[in-house]
Amino acid sequence: MRIFLSSILSIIAFSGCSSSVRPPYSNTDDVTNEMIDQARSLNLAISSESTPVLAKSLSQAKSFCQMGDKDLKVEVRSMKRDAIEVPVIHLRCKP
C-alpha cells in the first residue's frame, strides 16, 4: 500500500514539473502577414515573438466562429494586477 501511494504522489509531482518546463504552444509557421496585421491592429504592447502567437490564436478563433456561421468579435480591456495594467482580450462568437 505504501508503494502504491508513493508512486501516485510521485506521478502527480512529476506531471506538475513537466507542465512547468514545457514551452507554450507556438507553432506559427503558417502565420501570414494579414494575420500579423490583424494582431497588430489591436494596438497591444507585446513582443515580436508573441505577435505571431496572438495572430494564430485570432485566426483559429475566427475559424471556430465561422463553423457556427458566426462572426468573431474581439474586445480588448485592461485589468489591474498589483500596480500594473495588463491587457485582457475577449474573443466571442456573435451571430
Side-chain angles (χ1 to χ4, degrees), residues 3-44:
I3 294 172
F4 178 71
L5 289 176
S6 63
S7 64
I8 289 177
L9 290 176
S10 58
I11 288 171
I12 291 171
F14 285 130
S15 67
C17 292
S18 66
S19 67
S20 64
V21 174
R22 270 184 265 150
Y25 173 77
S26 61
N27 182 6
T28 57
D29 295 337
D30 58 344
V31 173
T32 64
N33 287 334
E34 291 173 349
M35 294 163 69
I36 295 284
D37 291 341
Q38 183 182 14
R40 286 185 180 150
S41 71
L42 298 177
N43 295 322
L44 298 172

Side-chain angles (χ1 to χ4, degrees), residues 14-82:
F14 285 130
S15 67
C17 292
S18 66
S19 67
S20 64
V21 174
R22 270 184 265 150
Y25 173 77
S26 61
N27 182 6
T28 57
D29 295 337
D30 58 344
V31 173
T32 64
N33 287 334
E34 291 173 349
M35 294 163 69
I36 295 284
D37 291 341
Q38 183 182 14
R40 286 185 180 150
S41 71
L42 298 177
N43 295 322
L44 298 172
I46 59 175
S47 68
S48 59
E49 293 86 19
S50 298
T51 302
V53 176
L54 175 61
K56 180 139 187 180
S57 300
L58 291 172
S59 174
Q60 288 175 339
K62 184 177 180 181
S63 295
F64 176 78
C65 290
Q66 287 175 343
M67 288 188 326
D69 292 327
K70 296 180 180 179
D71 293 323
L72 175 66
K73 182 176 181 185
V74 180
E75 294 179 32
V76 179
R77 299 180 185 171
S78 63
M79 184 169 98
K80 214 164 204 177
R81 288 191 184 162
D82 297 328

